[in-house]
Amino acid sequence: MTAITVEGPRAFTGRLRVPGDKSISHRALMLAALGRRPCTIRGLSDGDDVLRTRRAVEALGARVEVAANGEVVVAGGVRGARGPINLGNSGTGIRLLAGLVSGFDFTTTLDGDASVRQRPMDRIIDPLTAMGASVRGSGLNGARAPLAIEGRPLRGIEYRLPVASAQVKGAVLLAGLRAEGPTTVHEPAPTRTHTEEMLAAAGVRVEQGDRSVTVWPGEVDPPDADVPGDPSQAAFWAVGACAAPDSELVVEDVYLGPARTGFIDVLRRMGADIAWDAETGAIRARSSALTGTRVSTEEMPGCIDEVPVLAVAAAVAEGVTVFEGIGELRFKETDRAAAVAEMVVGLGAGCRIDADALAIAGVGPGGVSGRVTVDAHGDHRMAMAAAIAGAVGRVAMTVEGFEATATSYPGFARDLGRVTGRAP
Ligand code: S3P
């Protein structure tokens, strides 16, 4: 395990770009693999999760070439894999791919690392089975990876998501491409819309309703893609700049579409001086006096991945911040409700978890001090949130398991050095 120590407080200044959006990157590779013509993807995420998806589509039969300038050219083809496909740490990769292969006439085994093997897969097994695929999971109740998927002729279904999940919605919609008749997914709260938007851009018939989306089976012709920066990564820098002294920072070219900008709304309610420009995708954040707020269950899918770093903002704010509807946090790369509680308590904040809510009593900007050690628990977002906590407070923060950042942001430590003028 790699440990780093970050000492604060530091100012966050300058301009930067973050890696290409992870959700869009996975889908761009998968749709290109289904595509009839080669397509070029620029700005793909350089994290390990997306690398795994690239290898997965290659294993299924697509050809992927990476040019010296980082452009990726994919010649589609899905013909069947010889051995198991390992998606590493990526819940999005394994779940979306399960949907993609389930209508093809071959058997695929999908697996992941120890974290992915702990995560619930019944949420995709149930709808894909209802569509006619044979999906056998492992472990207790067969609800875990590895998954053995025997593709079959599928029928379109109308499916009500039991939990608000864009991964599950995406898996069902991708399966729907090869089903008989339309497939409709209803969601209990709005989730990110990348699958439906990218399918529509690829010429698939898609109808978006109020909290529902329908796809019709058809061929996929994805256009060349420029992947914008990942808002979930921009959130680390935005919180850093808002919570640290003497800071003003711009993150350029960020995706600012539906269900991805919730963290900006939350930070604004906390009193943050943060603005975004829909034209350019720039987010500008400045030092601010932060106060507590309430994040509702309805809002949660729109900022679910940002909770670890929003918890850092809450820990240095005045007053109490309550995150409601945190059930899904327990099923992320680690149990993030527990990991966040451990981190903020380490920072000296108060923390209480009730059935479905997490409350953080902030120490106020002057309050965080001393030596703190946080274990990332193998979770990239916990590692980065803890590093930001180290940079904004009067602390020496040791982050154990910092190597987890490679999952989504291999250049995080370099960028922390750039925007704060000091390497970790
Ligand atoms: C993602 C959806 C979210 C999110 C994950 C990426 C996606 O998960 O947490 O990081 O790309 O569809 P859920 O669908 O489980 O909410």
Side-chain angles (χ1 to χ4, degrees):
M1 260 206 329
T2 311
I4 61 147
T5 298
V6 183
E7 288 176 23
R10 312 169 171 200
F12 285 65
T13 55
R15 308 177 76 88
L16 87 162
R17 279 170 184 258
V18 289
D21 185 70
K22 187 156 75 69
S23 293
I24 296 176
S25 294
H26 284 300
R27 289 161 173 85
L29 284 167
M30 290 186 199
L31 296 192
L34 293 170
R36 293 184 289 186
R37 296 192 281 277
C39 92
T40 300
I41 308 170
R42 287 172 288 268
L44 208 60
S45 159
D46 59 352
D48 188 65
D49 274 12
V50 170
L51 179 63
R52 298 289 184 146
T53 289
R54 194 184 106 199
R55 297 224 178 100
V57 299
E58 287 178 305
L60 289 170
R63 274 193 296 111
V64 182
E65 274 165 32
V66 184
N69 62 3
E71 283 186 8
V72 173
V73 180
V74 183
V78 174
R79 289 178 269 276
R82 269 180 235 109
I85 296 178
N86 191 320
L87 279 308
N89 194 239
S90 181
T92 308
I94 192 168
R95 292 188 177 122
L96 291 181
L97 213 58
L100 184 150
V101 297
S102 62
F104 282 89
D105 183 21
F106 53 75
T107 298
T108 317
T109 301
L110 301 179
D111 202 356
D113 67 7
S115 155
V116 158
R117 283 183 170 203
Q118 296 279 324
R119 297 178 68 178
M121 293 298 151
D122 41 344
R123 54 182 61 194
I124 52 153
I125 295 174
D126 293 348
L128 296 177
T129 305
M131 294 177 83
S134 160
V135 187
R136 269 184 302 109
S138 313
L140 187 65
N141 301 324
R144 298 281 183 270
L147 304 170
I149 303 171
E150 256 177 65
R152 301 251 172 93
L154 303 179
R155 53 188 172 273
I157 57 169
E158 181 148 358
Y159 190 65
R160 287 187 186 278
L161 293 177
V163 288
S165 166
Q167 293 178 358
V168 179
K169 173 174 66 172
V172 174
L173 296 179
L174 289 174
L177 289 175
R178 295 180 66 82
E180 178 86 35
T183 296
T184 300
V185 178
H186 300 275
E187 43 188 7
T191 69
R192 60 194 72 192
T193 52
H194 305 299
T195 309
E196 47 272 47
E197 279 170 13
M198 293 172 75
L199 283 174
V204 175
R205 183 174 166 204
V206 176
E207 262 176 38
Q208 282 178 259
D210 180 27
R211 298 204 185 171
S212 75
V213 53
T214 302
V215 296
W216 277 259
E219 296 294 343
V220 178
D221 292 314
D224 291 347
D226 281 298
V227 182
D230 194 326
S232 302
Q233 312 294 19
F236 294 104
W237 309 119
V239 169
C242 292
D246 307 320
S247 298
E248 174 163 359
L249 183 92
V250 176
V251 189
E252 295 172 341
D253 188 29
V254 180
Y255 176 83
L256 295 169
R260 298 299 303 278
T261 55
F263 74 94
I264 300 177
D265 300 334
V266 174
L267 285 172
R268 280 225 179 106
R269 290 207 302 275
M270 295 181 80
D273 183 351
I274 181 167
W276 49 283
D277 179 341
E279 288 288 302
T280 63
I283 298 176
R284 177 184 296 273
R286 295 192 183 95
S287 303
S288 314
L290 299 175
T291 52
T293 189
R294 187 181 75 92
V295 182
S296 70
T297 302
E298 174 86 2
E299 276 184 281
M300 192 45 83
C303 63
I304 185 86
D305 290 342
E306 291 70 68
V307 171
V309 77
L310 288 173
V312 172
V316 300
E318 300 279 358
V320 177
T321 299
V322 181
F323 297 93
E324 295 176 351
I326 57 153
E328 280 296 299
L329 273 190
R330 300 194 178 277
F331 303 117
K332 294 297 176 187
E333 285 79 336
T334 186
D335 174 348
R336 280 191 189 149
V340 159
E342 198 178 300
M343 174 180 72
V344 298
V345 167
L347 288 168
C351 184
R352 183 175 158 155
I353 302 180
D354 291 327
D356 206 31
L358 171 77
I360 297 172
V363 282
V368 178
S369 60
R371 293 203 153 268
V372 185
T373 298
V374 168
D375 183 345
H377 294 287
D379 184 326
H380 55 130
R381 299 198 202 281
M382 290 309 307
M384 293 186 278
I388 294 295
V392 303
R394 273 187 293 111
V395 290
M397 164 68 76
T398 300
V399 186
E400 286 179 348
F402 186 75
E403 71 280 0
T405 53
T407 293
S408 65
Y409 199 160
F412 179 82
R414 175 205 63 210
D415 285 353
L416 182 64
R418 278 189 193 154
V419 301
T420 66
R422 233 192 304 167

